[in-house]
Amino acid sequence: MTIGARVLKTGVAVALAIFVSGLFHFPSPIIAAVAAIFTIQPSIYRSWKQVLDQVQSNVLGAIIALASVQVLGSTPISVGLVCIAVILLNIKLKMESAIGLTLVTVVAVMEANSEGWDYALGRFLMVMAGMGCAFLVNVLLFPPRPKKQFFDQIREAYGQLSLLLRTAISNEIKEQVHKEEKDKLHGTLRKLDERYALFEEERSVRPESKLDRARQLLLSKQMIKALRKGADLLDAVEEHYFSAPGAEEWSLRFDERLEELTKYHEHILLKSEGKMKTGAQIEPEEGREGSFVSELTHYVSANPDGHKRLIFVATALFEYDYQLRRLDKLVNQIEERKEQ
């Protein structure tokens, strides 16, 4: 089991919050530590947004708590009613992510108000200190790099997809291994969607950086789409190919096409990383593709009902091919603009 950066940063943020609590002689470091845990986020942008939301929500929560104590007291029922009101207010202000820590602030302030306003203010400052510690740790210690992490996961997903597609027709992999690899692929694709969302949230300051970022986002989205079409092709092969009459006589040709496309996919990724020679021809030959299409069309037309399952597989294959060519064009356009 590996320790991820976010896990490590959470531990450091908690330790720093406890240390700061000791420096400022807070009565208890627990509230600061809890605030630090709530504030750690997977990207700098999300961390900054979380801090802004938390500050606004916690200030409102503390004010409401202090006012409510004067009117309702600090009985269990009054604390519960104030928590309900704060939750509804956060939802209304679209700051749902800040609800958890704000409730901690409300309970801490209302519980401490019996000791005096100074004590209640100290509890509120504990929350602010914990949030500040978490934000500093998130920015300074292993700052999130969503772009690098995204492309690392693209590579990981391609490796899993390539293995499955190259052996899909020959059916050489053990069923248990195939299932495990396919589950890993779908898990990586889900992570890619989450990573893309983080990548998309990152903000650029300079206009030219914004333009580069827009291009990278377009490229990243197409990379995910190509991988998903490859996964759809894998599903089509599993569902329809082996049930199609006469599939055995087409196994070599389908296998060759899958080999070509997975190799083409790999070359596109290498080109996007700047590892391919300038002018290298990586696109599959159109003549061979045309021959495959015409032969398959002739074969299917002879018995449309009996051979329609092969149409489903071929459709998924052509869609994967089409998305790869779109990805290739995007990579070429980005590389050309970099050279200008």
Side-chain angles (χ1 to χ4, degrees):
M1 181 181 293
T2 58
I3 300 177
R6 190 176 178 185
V7 174
L8 179 62
K9 287 193 288 187
T10 300
V12 173
V14 169
L16 182 60
I18 294 173
F19 176 74
V20 169
S21 296
L23 287 179
F24 286 96
H25 304 290
F26 290 144
S28 172
I30 295 176
I31 295 176
V34 171
I37 293 170
F38 273 101
T39 308
I40 287 290
Q41 295 293 316
S43 74
I44 293 176
Y45 171 75
R46 280 195 184 181
S47 186
W48 174 244
K49 187 176 183 302
Q50 180 78 345
V51 166
L52 291 179
D53 288 348
Q54 294 282 18
V55 168
Q56 296 175 66
S57 179
N58 278 271
V59 168
L60 286 173
I63 293 172
I64 293 171
L66 289 170
S68 299
V69 167
Q70 303 304 314
V71 178
L72 303 173
S74 57
T75 64
I77 293 177
S78 64
V79 173
L81 290 174
V82 173
C83 286
I84 292 172
V86 168
I87 291 172
L88 294 175
L89 180 61
N90 274 265
I91 294 173
K92 183 70 175 177
L93 296 175
K94 297 182 178 179
M95 293 190 295
E96 292 89 345
S97 63
I99 289 175
L101 185 55
T102 304
L103 293 180
V104 172
T105 301
V106 168
V107 174
V109 169
M110 292 187 73
E111 181 270 335
N113 193 66
S114 59
E115 303 291 334
W117 282 66
D118 291 343
Y119 198 76
L121 179 61
R123 292 294 179 94
F124 176 71
L125 291 177
M126 289 182 206
V127 174
M128 296 296 108
M131 288 166 52
C133 291
F135 182 73
L136 285 176
V137 168
N138 209 36
V139 172
L140 300 178
L141 182 66
F142 305 122
R145 297 177 179 176
K147 181 178 177 180
K148 181 182 182 302
Q149 293 165 340
F150 175 82
F151 285 105
D152 286 345
Q153 286 185 339
I154 284 285
R155 262 295 182 185
E156 181 182 352
Y158 166 75
Q160 294 160 348
L161 176 65
S162 174
L163 172 65
L164 292 169
L165 283 180
R166 290 174 189 267
T167 57
I169 301 297
S170 57
N171 201 21
E172 296 167 333
I173 294 184
K174 293 180 179 179
E175 290 184 7
Q176 182 61 32
V177 176
H178 182 276
K179 183 180 182 301
E180 290 173 359
E181 290 298 321
K182 192 174 181 181
D183 289 343
K184 287 180 184 177
L185 172 62
H186 287 296
T188 306
L189 289 175
R190 285 192 297 271
K191 290 178 183 177
L192 271 174
D193 289 333
E194 297 169 3
R195 189 67 61 186
Y196 177 81
L198 293 176
F199 188 22
E200 192 175 28
E201 286 175 353
E202 292 297 307
R203 295 297 188 258
S204 298
V205 179
R206 297 178 301 168
E208 57 269 25
S209 297
K210 290 180 181 179
L211 183 59
D212 290 340
R213 178 176 166 277
R215 291 170 182 162
Q216 286 297 329
L217 283 174
L218 187 62
L219 177 64
S220 302
K221 191 173 185 179
Q222 184 59 32
M223 283 182 167
I224 295 176
K225 193 169 187 179
L227 286 167
R228 288 203 172 278
K229 291 303 177 182
D232 290 344
L233 171 57
L234 184 65
D235 290 338
V237 170
E238 292 177 358
E239 184 174 355
H240 298 292
Y241 185 81
F242 298 105
S243 300
E248 291 183 2
E249 61 184 281
W250 281 90
S251 60
L252 181 59
R253 277 168 286 189
F254 269 100
D255 198 38
E256 287 176 348
R257 287 295 296 154
L258 290 174
E259 181 71 27
E260 278 185 350
L261 292 179
T262 50
K263 185 177 180 181
Y264 183 34
H265 198 161
E266 181 180 24
H267 284 177
I268 295 171
L269 294 180
L270 289 172
K271 187 195 290 186
S272 69
E273 296 169 1
K275 296 179 180 179
M276 294 290 288
K277 291 181 179 180
T278 304
Q281 181 63 37
I282 65 172
E283 191 174 348
E285 297 179 13
E286 292 186 1
R288 293 182 62 182
E289 181 182 353
S291 175
F292 175 80
V293 172
S294 61
E295 289 178 18
L296 183 61
T297 303
H298 177 74
Y299 179 76
V300 170
S301 61
N303 184 5
D305 291 334
H307 300 152
K308 62 183 178 182
R309 283 183 177 271
L310 286 181
I311 298 177
F312 299 143
V313 179
T315 300
L317 188 145
F318 296 145
E319 180 62 24
Y320 181 43
D321 186 355
Y322 173 73
Q323 296 300 336
L324 287 179
R325 292 179 190 274
R326 285 191 64 189
L327 177 59
D328 192 12
K329 288 179 181 178
L330 274 174
V331 172
N332 288 335
Q333 290 171 2
I334 290 174
E335 292 300 316
E336 288 171 3
R337 289 180 180 178
K338 283 181 181 179
E339 295 173 359
Q340 291 177 356

